[in-house]
């Protein structure tokens, strides 16, 4: 909403600056987003009087125009065809800052020789003054414009640009804003006098209005005005409309727009003579009914849309836009003026159906009070009589099926203090509310009742009154001390949130960069995660997706993490260790989906930055496994790794991670087909953890074992087993020997020195007892027992 | 005799300071502290003295010996350290060569800011919890005083999973405020919670808008909570996050689920209130929306609005992060560009 300051101050006179008004309005909830100053840069531009126009000696299209500026007179070369002797124009002297016609940027006006004639100044179009894009003709000022007056003083304007919230449709009007300013700054309201005395016929003899459903249309006010002379509206009205961002069209249309801006009530003028049957019917459109709106678009309507019809056809879409079939034109002499009140939901749905929003619908869909219609139709009719020479019929046609009831809100004593924490005397509360138009209807020691002014549809309860009191006094007056922390609170376990934070910290500590990526994904990307293009889970889809890339709620983090890896790979090389801990979404029919917190880590490239310390080693399965083991160890979880079956991973280079028989993670190399699809290195590894399951596995309490006071002994053991014996089996057997306190695998060997089909494990064993020093003999015995156990269980032999 | 020892001591110490190698030091030790040294002989000769003299002379000799001994140890320490380089090959290390690198992991800037925000509120007694991102129309709109066809729905361009006409439609939450309802449905006051999480809007992306972003929601409900408590808590928050001297502004604003409603802005740190492009020439940067929980919302959750009151707030994490670090394009956050992420 654009509010020209001069217009505003006409209704609430005062000498406040624009900044001051803007600040107070903003603090009170009517946000002024910007202050525009039209004419701020118009130095050296004044009202000029054209005393002479002569042809240019050397050019047919140019003329020499002599302009009187009060104190001086200049002759300039001018190309605009409309300049004529006797006009008042906007004249720029040399040095004026004007918008350059070609570059569109401000530039200082310089003297110029045009086709041999020196031109020192310019007769300006709207474009040069930054008023519009029009530069085909120069501005013609009204005949009463004082010659020599700086143009900024004559037609400069300050405009407040309001960014309104949907609860305050009353401020979509100059009068509404004036009411706020009056209350906030203590000004007196001076509103236009509205009273209509028609002549001639009664409006009831000229039209009948029927409303099919009072829920759709709460009120329909109409007047008929005869003897209209169509023409341009007066310049003061045009200036105000332009400053408010509307294009002047004709006196009749301008008046309807002017009153809409003034009161916030949309109006529409029909050419009365084109209405069939002298009838107005407010009804739903019929299925498939076709209608051409004023913007010259043919629209197919349906019962979702409310229309204004005459005796036979629609003539307007209620509250949104009129029709070309009844448009006011040069030949119009009688008009029917409508100011109606439509249900906001009906208008909203109509706009959605038609994909059309207008200044009118903008005001209706927030909810307007029916009282506006009656006032606005009278005000507009008065202006039609005054400006267009029209003769209004007697009375206003007022179809008002169910009169809106007054609303009274009760404010309990102490409520202002209870909600605001501020001690405000009752008298002060009453004074503030009255300044906003509330009327006290009753009051005692316990409560006060206030009649809500009709334009404040947003006020329904005592909390609304408290807000009004505090915002007028100013939220900035609420004192600020140290916050009170006296409140005890319900304690809810925040385990998952805290656990997620901890996992993120651990991953970052292990050298992984955290990523956050979009929750939505394309179906293709999810499909590409399995080499056979199958989807393990059908994802949920968005009903109104913004694009196909953002169509599905992802069921895996892999696709987006791999995308990030690929994109970065195009920019730089070097080791990649990334992870994301976010949700994936598994559908549950029509219910809300399961939102599973998942950690997906990807490793790719060489293990370290290229460095003088060592050669380059591509990361492999064991890099990923090592990071995962680190994470599990830090969480106090001991897990088993078994060959896995994740289809997105490389067969034979993938593992499932099992705790208590349940799979909580997978780890492995990306399947080559997947790596190709996502354009990442073939040697790309990942692990993926079900975070909630991991949290559930955490044992919580550490099992403490007393420290041994006795020395330890180390022995290295090399055994040979079949190739298919997993190390985990060997480790498990060793783990069964209490006196072996630690075992580290330090070599795995296959090759010439051992038989084919075999491999050797070299293991460093640490022997230690908690209650004595172990003798060599004892250790030998244990080791012998271990060997025979390994032999009987996994066919191990001592490597010779 | 005593003079002799003093001369000996100062000569020995002077000599000691000149020594450069451990072998020279060893020779010195043999000469002055060894079995055949003057000092040892002097000590040995003590037994020949009468008892009176023996005591004073003995004390003196021992003091000299102790002094030489301790200077010797100190010098030995110095020489050992300075000759370490020689012992490992004679050359000094180029200490400017890069060390063996450990991989450096980092948290995403949004995660860092969320954790910071949550910890400020945790200090003020708020608990952190999560909530669902896929929501019912009821929690996202209806229960927050935004029924079907309410004009405030315009404030939330929504990504729907079902037809928006359907009252049981599912959607991607447009704000974290649905958690206000879920918390109040499940728990009775006193309540103090913050809820961080992802939120979604149907929105074209550009440098300042993205369709996915994070919010932190807050809720406090008790029998005596006022607008003043709201202001004090959130001013404290702003000053904790943006600096103690930051100017903070509290103004009236509208959200359907609070009344009175408000907005908190901080003084623009680029122009210090004078007006610039960052703040849209207003001098203020909006940080969060807030207000007293609407009585209808309390009542809907079974909390008596005539007994209890509370405040709620919600803030955009990306916006705070962008302002804090001067990030020029919101789309960097989810692009995963390492050049961007490495800076935080
Ligand atoms: Zn600024």
């Amino acid at each position: 909403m654009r509010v020209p300051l001069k217009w505003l101050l006409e209704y609430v006179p005062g000498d406040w600056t624009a900044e001051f008004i803007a600040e107070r309005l903003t603090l009170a909830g009517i946000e002024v987003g910007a202050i525009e100053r039209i004419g701020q840069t118009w130095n050296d531009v004044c009202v000029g009087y054209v005393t002479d126009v002569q042809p240019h000696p050397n050019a047919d299209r140019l003329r020499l125009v002599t302009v009187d500026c009060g104190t001086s007179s200049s002759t300039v070369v001018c190309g605009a065809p409309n300049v004529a002797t006797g006009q008042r124009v906007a004249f720029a002297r040399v040095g004026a800052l004007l918008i350059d016609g070609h570059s569109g940027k401000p530039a200082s006006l310089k003297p110029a020789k045009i086709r041999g004639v020196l031109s020192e100044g310019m007769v300006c179009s709207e474009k040069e003054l930054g008023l519009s894009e029009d530069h085909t003709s120069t501005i013609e000022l009204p005949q009463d414009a004082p010659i020599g007056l700086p143009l900024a003083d004559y037609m400069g304007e300050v405009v407040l640009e309001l960014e309104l919230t949907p609860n305050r449709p009353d401020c979509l009007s100059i009068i509404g804003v004036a009411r706020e300013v009056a209350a906030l700054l203590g000004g007196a309201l001076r509103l236009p006098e509205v009273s209509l005395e028609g002549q001639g016929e009664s409006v009831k003899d000229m039209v009948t209005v029927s409303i099919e459903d009072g829920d759709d249309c709460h009120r329909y006010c109409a007047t008929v005005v005869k003897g209209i002379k169509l023409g341009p509206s007066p310049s003061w009205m045009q200036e105000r409309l332009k400053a408010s961002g509307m294009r002047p069209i004709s006196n009749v249309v301008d008046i309807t727009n002017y009153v809409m801006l003034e009161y916030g009530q949309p109006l529409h003028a029909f050419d009365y003579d084109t209405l069939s049957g002298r009838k107005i019917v407010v009804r739903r459109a019929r299925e498939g009914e076709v209608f051409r709106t004023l913007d010259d678009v043919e629209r197919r309507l349906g019962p979702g849309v409310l229309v204004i019809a005459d005796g036979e056809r629609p003539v307007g879409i209620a509250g949104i836009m009129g029709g070309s079939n009844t448009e006011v034109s040069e030949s119009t002499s009688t008009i029917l003026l409508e100011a109606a009140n439509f249900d906001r939901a009906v208008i909203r749905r109509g706009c959605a159906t038609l994909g059309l929003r207008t200044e009118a619908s903008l005001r209706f869909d927030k909810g307007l009070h029916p009282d506006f219609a009656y006032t606005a139709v009278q005000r507009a009719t008065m202006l039609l009589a005054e400006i267009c020479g029209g003769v209004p019929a007697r009375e206003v046609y007022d179809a008002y099926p169910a009169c809106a009831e007054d609303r009274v809100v009760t404010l309990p004593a102490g409520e202002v203090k209870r909600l605001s924490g501020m001690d405000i005397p009752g008298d002060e509360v009453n004074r503030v509310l009255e300044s906003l138009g509330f009327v006290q209807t009753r009051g005692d020691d316990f409560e006060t009742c206030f009649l809500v002014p009709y334009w404040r549809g947003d006020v329904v309860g005592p909390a609304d009154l408290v807000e009004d009191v505090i915002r007028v006094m100013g939220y900035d007056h609420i004192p600020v001390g140290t916050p009170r922390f006296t409140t005890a609170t319900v304690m809810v376990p925040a385990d998952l949130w805290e656990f997620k934070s901890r996992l993120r910290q651990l991953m970052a500590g292990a050298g992984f960069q955290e990523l956050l990526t979009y929750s939505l994904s394309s179906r293709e990307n999810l499909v590409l995660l399995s080499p056979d293009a199958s989807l393990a889970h059908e994802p949920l889809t968005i009903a109104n997706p913004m694009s196909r890339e953002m169509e599905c709620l992802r069921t895996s983090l892999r696709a987006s993490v791999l995308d990030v890896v690929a994109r970065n790979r195009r920019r730089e090389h070097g080791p990649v260790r990334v992870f994301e801990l976010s949700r994936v979404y598994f559908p549950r029919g029509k219910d809300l989906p399961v939102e599973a917190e998942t950690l997906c880590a990807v490793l790719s490239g060489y293990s370290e930055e290229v460095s003088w310390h060592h050669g380059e080693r591509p990361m492999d399965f064991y890099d990923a496994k090592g990071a995962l083991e680190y994470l599990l160890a830090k969480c106090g979880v001991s897990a088993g790794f078994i060959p896995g079956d994740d289809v997105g991973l490389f067969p034979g280079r993938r593992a499932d991670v099992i705790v208590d028989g349940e799979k909580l993670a997978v780890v492995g190399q990306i399947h080559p087909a997947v790596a190709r699809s996502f354009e990442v290195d073939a040697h790309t590894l990942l692990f993926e953890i079900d975070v909630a399951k991991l949290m559930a596995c955490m044992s919580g309490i550490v099992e403490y074992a007393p420290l041994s006071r006795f020395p330890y002994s180390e022995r290295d053991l090399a055994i040979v087993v079949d190739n298919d014996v997993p190390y985990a089996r060997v480790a498990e057997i060793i783990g069964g020997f209490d006196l072996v306190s630690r075992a580290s695998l330090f070599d795995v060997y296959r090759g010439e020195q051992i038989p084919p089909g075999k491999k050797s494990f070299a293991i460093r064993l640490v022997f230690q007892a908690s209650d004595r020093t172990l003798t060599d003999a004892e250790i030998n015995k244990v080791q012998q027992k271990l060997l025979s156990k390994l032999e009987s269980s996994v066919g191990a032999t001592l490597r010779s | 005799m005593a003079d002799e020892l003093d001369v000996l001591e100062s000569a020995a110490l002077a000599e000691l300071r000149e020594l450069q190698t451990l072998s020279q030091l060893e020779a010195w030790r043999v000469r002055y502290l060894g079995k055949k040294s003057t000092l040892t002989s002097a000590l040995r000769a003590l037994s020949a003295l009468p008892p009176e003299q023996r005591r004073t002379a003995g004390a003196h000799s021992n003091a000299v010996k102790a002094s030489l001994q301790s200077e010797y140890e100190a010098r030995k320490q110095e020489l050992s350290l300075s000759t370490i380089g020689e012992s490992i090959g004679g050359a000094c290390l180029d200490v400017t060569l890069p060390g063996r690198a450990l991989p450096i992991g980092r948290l995403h800037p949004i995660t860092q800011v969320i954790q910071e925000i949550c910890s400020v509120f945790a200090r003020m007694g708020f608990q952190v919890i999560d909530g669902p991102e896929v929501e019912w129309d009821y929690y996202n709109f209806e229960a927050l005083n935004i029924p079907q066809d309410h004009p405030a729905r315009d404030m939330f361009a929504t990504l729907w999973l079902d037809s928006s006409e359907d009252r049981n439609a599912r959607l991607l939450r447009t704000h974290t405020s649905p958690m206000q309802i879920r918390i109040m449905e499940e728990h009775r006051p006193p309540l103090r919670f913050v809820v961080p999480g992802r939120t979604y809007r149907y929105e074209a992306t550009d440098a300042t808008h993205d369709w996915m972003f994070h919010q932190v929601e807050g809720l406090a409900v008790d029998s005596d909570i006022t607008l003043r408590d709201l202001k004090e808590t959130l001013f404290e928050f702003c000053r904790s996050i943006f600096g103690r001297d930051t100017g903070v502004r509290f103004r009236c604003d509208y959200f359907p689920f609070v009344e009175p409603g408000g907005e908190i802005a901080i003084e623009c740190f680029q122009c210090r209130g004078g007006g610039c492009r960052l703040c849209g020439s207003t001098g203020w940067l909006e940080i969060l929306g807030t207000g007293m929980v609407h009585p209808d919302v309390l009542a809907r959750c079974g909390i008596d609005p005539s007994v209890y009151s509370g405040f709620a707030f919600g803030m955009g994490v990306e916006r705070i992060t962008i302002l804090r670090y001067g990030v020029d394009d919101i789309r960097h956050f989810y692009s995963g560009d390492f050049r961007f992420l490495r800076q935080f």
Side-chain angles (χ1 to χ4, degrees):
Chain A
M1 174 77 190
R2 291 171 57 87
V3 177
L5 195 63
K6 280 187 210 155
W7 193 358
L8 178 69
L9 293 179
E10 185 179 307
Y11 299 152
V12 51
D15 53 4
W16 311 291
T17 64
E19 284 76 12
F20 183 66
I21 296 175
E23 192 196 342
R24 296 302 305 174
L25 281 173
T26 300
L27 285 171
I30 311 295
E31 185 175 5
V32 179
I35 302 171
E36 192 193 334
R37 289 168 193 283
I38 299 169
Q40 191 176 24
T41 59
W42 296 346
N43 299 324
D44 296 312
V45 184
C46 66
V47 177
Y49 179 71
V50 179
T51 53
D52 191 25
V53 177
Q54 293 294 329
H56 191 290
N58 307 322
D60 291 348
R61 298 240 178 117
L62 300 177
R63 287 180 295 165
L64 304 181
V65 178
T66 307
V67 181
D68 172 15
C69 299
T71 52
S72 64
S73 182
S74 343
T75 300
V76 299
V77 179
C78 180
N82 65 312
V83 182
T85 307
Q87 279 180 358
R88 280 157 210 246
V89 295
F91 182 74
R93 296 189 196 91
V94 166
L97 196 64
L98 300 177
I99 306 291
D100 185 88
H102 300 289
S103 71
K105 297 204 171 69
S108 174
L109 183 65
K110 295 186 175 61
K113 209 166 218 178
I114 302 171
R115 292 291 191 94
V117 179
L118 185 67
S119 180
E120 289 181 303
M122 184 185 264
V123 180
C124 299
S125 68
E126 292 198 341
K127 171 142 189 177
E128 276 114 27
L129 295 175
L131 291 170
S132 77
E133 285 302 299
D134 182 15
H135 62 284
T136 54
S137 59
T138 57
I139 299 174
E140 285 177 44
L141 297 173
Q143 282 302 317
D144 57 3
I147 296 165
L149 188 71
L151 190 70
D153 293 351
Y154 183 66
M155 57 183 279
E157 181 57 288
V158 178
V159 180
L160 306 179
E161 289 183 23
L162 305 192
E163 287 167 15
L164 290 167
T165 51
N167 61 322
R168 295 300 303 271
D170 59 309
C171 288
L172 283 165
S173 69
I174 305 294
I175 288 176
V177 179
R179 285 197 177 103
E180 282 288 309
V181 171
L184 292 172
L185 305 183
L189 273 181
R190 203 187 291 160
L191 300 184
E193 296 270 329
V194 175
S195 71
L196 180 65
E197 285 186 30
Q199 315 154 19
E201 283 177 80
S202 162
V203 71
K204 298 235 163 71
D205 297 333
M206 302 183 74
V207 68
T208 56
V209 175
S210 60
I211 298 171
E212 282 197 353
D213 186 343
D215 289 339
D216 288 347
C217 176
H218 307 136
R219 192 174 197 175
Y220 197 102
C221 299
T223 58
V224 173
V225 185
K226 284 185 162 181
I228 291 288
K229 286 172 209 61
L230 207 76
S233 57
S235 59
W236 61 267
M237 184 176 277
Q238 294 199 21
E239 292 309 328
R240 285 184 174 180
L241 289 174
K242 280 193 269 185
S244 307
M246 297 194 92
R247 198 163 48 89
I249 294 167
S250 67
N251 49 10
V252 171
V253 176
D254 290 358
I255 286 167
T256 60
N257 284 334
Y258 184 83
V259 174
M260 176 178 77
L261 293 174
E262 199 174 37
Y263 284 87
Q265 167 70 47
L267 299 113
H268 185 66
F270 298 95
D271 182 338
Y272 176 79
D273 296 318
T274 61
L275 289 172
S276 158
R278 300 184 154 201
K279 267 166 84 172
I280 289 289
V281 182
V282 186
R283 62 165 171 85
R284 293 298 183 111
R286 315 205 199 291
E287 193 62 61
E289 208 161 17
V290 172
F291 179 65
R292 184 175 289 275
T293 38
L294 276 175
D295 53 359
D296 215 26
V297 176
E298 196 150 275
R299 298 173 190 274
R300 182 170 290 273
L301 311 178
V305 178
L306 190 68
V307 295
I308 311 298
D310 61 10
E312 53 191 49
R313 59 195 174 148
V315 293
I317 298 175
I320 303 177
M321 196 181 270
S324 4
N325 54 10
T326 47
E327 186 176 0
V328 173
S329 68
E330 297 292 337
S331 58
T332 303
S333 66
T334 304
I335 61 163
L336 182 134
L337 187 68
E338 161 202 297
N341 186 277
F342 303 110
D343 183 64
R344 71 180 192 192
V346 174
I347 299 300
R348 279 182 71 79
R349 273 180 246 140
C351 288
T353 309
L354 298 170
L356 179 65
R357 309 196 101 180
T358 59
E359 285 287 332
S361 72
L362 178 78
R363 287 170 171 80
F364 280 124
D365 76 3
K366 309 281 186 301
L368 266 181
H369 194 279
D371 283 8
F372 281 111
Y374 194 73
T375 313
V377 81
Q378 294 184 75
R379 167 73 169 157
T381 305
M382 285 167 62
L383 289 171
L384 283 169
E386 204 175 296
I387 292 168
C388 312
V391 181
R394 273 189 291 120
E395 300 149 11
V396 171
Y397 197 112
D398 188 10
Y400 197 3
C403 193
E405 281 174 24
D406 287 343
R407 185 183 292 142
V408 172
V409 174
T410 304
L411 184 67
E415 188 69 356
V416 173
K417 171 142 206 228
R418 187 177 79 94
L419 290 182
S420 73
M422 287 172 77
D423 254 324
I424 301 168
D427 291 352
E428 182 66 5
V429 170
N430 296 350
R431 189 196 62 75
V432 169
L433 289 174
E434 275 160 18
S435 76
L436 286 165
F438 292 86
V439 177
Q440 190 186 329
T441 57
R442 200 175 61 74
D444 56 29
D445 287 349
F446 306 103
E447 58 185 37
T448 314
C449 298
F450 292 94
L451 175 66
V452 179
Y454 71 88
W455 58 87
R456 289 298 303 279
D458 60 309
V459 176
V460 294
D464 300 307
L465 295 180
V466 173
E467 177 180 271
D468 267 340
V469 171
I470 305 299
R471 76 185 180 87
V472 168
M473 302 190 66
Y475 280 27
D476 46 341
H477 286 106
I478 302 171
V480 184
T482 312
R484 297 186 297 153
F485 302 114
T486 53
T487 319
T489 172
V490 182
M491 295 303 286
V492 175
D495 297 349
L496 188 59
W497 161 258
E498 275 161 19
F499 184 57
K500 285 191 296 180
S501 303
R502 187 161 153 227
L503 280 186
R504 290 191 174 106
Q505 295 285 6
L506 285 171
M507 288 300 290
F512 285 74
Q513 167 67 55
E514 188 191 15
L515 305 175
L516 295 176
T517 58
Y518 292 119
S519 313
L520 298 182
S521 159
S522 69
R523 171 175 288 268
E524 290 73 48
N525 248 8
L526 293 174
V527 165
L528 286 175
L529 286 173
S530 56
D532 62 352
S534 64
L535 273 179
H537 302 271
E538 187 58 34
L540 277 170
T541 52
I542 298 294
N544 56 334
M546 293 170 291
S547 73
R548 294 199 50 217
E549 279 64 49
M550 307 292 167
E551 191 183 21
C552 299
L553 270 84
R554 58 180 170 180
T555 49
S556 168
L557 303 181
R558 282 183 204 181
S560 15
V561 177
L562 289 175
D563 270 343
V564 167
V565 171
R567 276 202 301 273
N568 280 290
R569 186 52 88 215
R570 280 173 223 134
R571 280 190 291 263
E572 61 184 52
H573 286 268
V576 170
R577 288 183 183 83
V578 293
F579 79 101
E580 175 165 10
L581 199 175
S582 293
R583 296 180 190 178
V584 295
Y585 312 83
F586 299 117
R588 282 191 303 182
K590 296 294 284 174
D591 206 342
L592 296 184
V594 173
E595 299 185 13
E597 299 283 358
T598 306
L599 191 162
C600 175
V602 167
L603 305 87
S604 185
Y606 292 106
S607 64
E608 279 156 275
E609 292 286 351
V610 56
S611 155
W612 67 282
H613 292 291
H614 44 70
E616 294 181 320
R617 179 180 67 77
M619 284 194 272
D620 62 22
F621 176 87
Y622 297 103
D623 288 286
K625 186 183 174 187
L628 177 54
E629 284 172 322
Y630 166 82
L631 200 64
L632 295 173
K634 294 294 274 186
C635 294
V637 171
S638 60
F641 288 72
I642 60 168
D645 56 5
D646 188 297
V647 291
L649 300 179
F650 200 128
R653 298 182 189 174
R654 59 191 179 189
D656 289 349
V657 182
I658 309 288
V659 176
D660 296 335
E662 216 185 341
K663 174 161 128 184
L664 62 85
V666 296
V667 54
Q669 183 175 339
I670 302 280
H671 194 288
V674 176
R676 234 183 349 266
S677 303
F678 285 90
E679 298 175 21
V680 295
D681 286 2
H683 287 276
T684 296
L685 300 309
L686 72 71
F687 61 86
E688 210 167 58
I689 305 175
D690 183 325
V691 172
K693 275 189 192 164
L694 175 59
M695 190 174 80
C697 290
M698 283 173 41
S699 45
I701 295 170
V702 168
E703 280 178 40
Y704 171 77
L707 310 183
S708 171
R709 289 184 291 110
F710 300 94
Y712 68 91
S713 307
E714 279 181 359
R715 295 284 175 91
D716 287 351
L717 180 70
I719 55 169
V720 176
V721 292
D722 285 346
N723 253 340
D724 60 359
V725 173
Y727 179 70
R729 284 286 293 129
V730 175
E732 191 189 346
I733 291 162
I734 297 172
F737 286 78
D738 288 344
L739 292 178
V740 180
S741 64
R742 206 140 42 88
S744 321
L745 178 71
F746 65 88
D747 191 33
V748 180
Y749 178 79
R750 289 182 189 84
E752 293 165 11
Q753 295 167 34
I754 52 172
K758 302 269 185 188
K759 62 186 170 188
S760 118
F761 291 130
I763 305 160
R764 177 155 301 165
L765 302 171
V766 177
F767 293 86
Q768 192 173 27
S770 57
D771 54 354
R772 63 190 188 280
T773 302
L774 293 175
T775 62
D776 275 356
E778 221 173 342
I779 291 170
N780 289 342
K781 217 166 107 193
V782 175
Q783 191 168 336
Q784 204 48 55
K785 248 185 172 167
L786 172 61
L787 263 175
S788 48
K789 177 79 180 168
L790 285 170
E791 188 179 357
S792 62
S793 310
V794 296
T797 55
L798 200 60
R799 184 172 164 192
S800 48
Chain B
M1 172 90 189
D3 290 349
E4 238 171 85
L5 279 179
D6 288 340
V7 171
L8 176 83
E9 185 187 7
S10 51
L13 290 179
E15 206 175 309
L16 186 68
R17 278 190 288 273
E18 299 304 315
L19 298 179
Q20 291 309 322
T21 68
L22 287 170
S23 51
Q24 288 170 343
L25 182 68
E26 179 57 14
W28 181 91
R29 187 191 66 78
V30 171
R31 183 147 17 109
Y32 291 104
L33 293 166
K35 287 194 180 104
K36 293 176 182 154
S37 65
T38 319
L39 189 61
T40 310
S41 328
L43 282 166
R44 221 176 270 135
L46 285 176
S47 53
L49 293 177
E52 232 94 300
Q53 282 182 21
R54 195 191 299 164
R55 201 173 306 121
T56 38
H60 189 227
S61 314
N62 277 320
V64 170
K65 184 177 181 185
S67 149
L68 291 183
Q69 189 74 39
S70 92
E71 288 301 316
Y72 163 77
E73 296 293 343
R75 189 65 188 148
K76 186 174 173 189
Q77 191 87 29
E78 282 172 32
L79 288 176
S80 310
L81 283 175
S82 67
T83 53
I84 251 176
E86 293 167 48
S87 68
I88 63 166
C92 287
L93 294 180
D94 178 355
V95 296
T96 66
L97 280 173
R100 293 197 174 86
L102 290 175
I104 297 173
R106 293 174 183 84
L107 294 180
H108 193 281
I110 294 295
T111 303
Q112 294 183 32
V113 172
I114 287 178
Q115 289 185 347
E116 200 177 328
I117 291 169
C118 289
S119 70
V120 170
F121 284 109
R123 289 205 296 272
M124 294 193 269
F126 287 75
Q127 292 186 72
V128 187
I129 56 165
D130 276 328
E133 292 167 22
V134 182
E135 263 295 3
W136 300 112
D137 181 293
Y138 178 78
Y139 287 102
N140 197 77
F141 290 128
E142 191 99 27
L144 291 166
N145 291 346
I146 317 171
Q148 291 266 357
D149 299 316
H150 191 280
R153 288 221 177 189
D154 290 351
M155 297 161 79
F156 308 96
T158 308
L159 285 161
W160 295 93
L161 275 81
D162 304 302
S163 161
S164 58
E165 303 289 309
D166 186 351
R167 293 184 82 85
N168 293 318
R170 294 165 300 176
L171 48 81
L172 293 183
R173 65 177 172 191
T174 58
H175 47 178
T176 40
S177 307
M179 279 303 289
Q180 290 182 29
I181 307 296
R182 289 183 177 274
I183 290 167
M184 288 192 285
E185 277 182 352
E186 200 158 320
H187 307 288
R188 297 293 93 186
L191 303 170
R192 276 175 190 253
F193 282 98
V194 282
V195 187
R198 291 185 176 205
T199 51
Y200 306 85
R201 300 274 169 93
Y202 188 103
E203 183 144 35
T205 56
D206 60 29
T208 51
H209 298 87
D210 205 341
W211 59 270
M212 183 180 96
F213 52 99
H214 291 75
Q215 286 189 342
V216 175
E217 190 78 13
L219 176 72
V221 182
D222 202 351
S223 53
D224 59 352
I225 287 184
T226 68
L227 200 60
R228 180 177 173 168
D229 293 313
L230 178 164
K231 188 174 175 182
E232 286 171 341
T233 305
L234 296 178
F235 272 42
E236 173 61 30
F237 163 75
C238 286
R239 288 171 177 156
S240 296
I241 291 284
F242 296 104
R244 307 303 313 175
D245 303 332
T246 305
V248 189
R249 181 185 76 178
F250 184 30
R251 58 172 282 264
C252 181
D253 200 355
Y254 169 75
F255 303 95
F257 39 97
V258 290
E259 190 73 29
E263 173 215 83
I264 288 188
I266 56 166
E267 192 180 40
C268 175
F269 32 70
Q270 207 160 84
C271 63
R272 286 275 151 215
C276 69
R277 245 187 58 178
L278 181 65
C279 57
S281 74
T282 59
W284 295 97
L285 301 166
E286 294 160 19
I287 293 299
L288 52 86
T290 180
M292 299 297 289
V293 180
H294 197 288
D296 293 351
V297 173
L298 289 171
R300 201 170 285 125
C301 300
I303 294 174
D304 184 348
S306 66
V307 176
Y308 291 103
S309 54
F311 64 80
F313 57 87
M315 66 188 88
V317 180
E318 279 76 1
R319 179 166 170 78
I320 290 174
T321 313
I322 282 173
L323 293 175
R324 158 87 72 87
Y325 299 109
V327 173
D328 56 342
D329 193 328
I330 194 171
R331 290 167 294 194
H332 286 325
F333 288 122
Y334 307 119
S335 71
D337 192 326
F338 295 163
R339 296 168 302 172
F340 175 78
L341 296 171
R342 269 198 290 264
Q343 298 183 40
F344 297 93

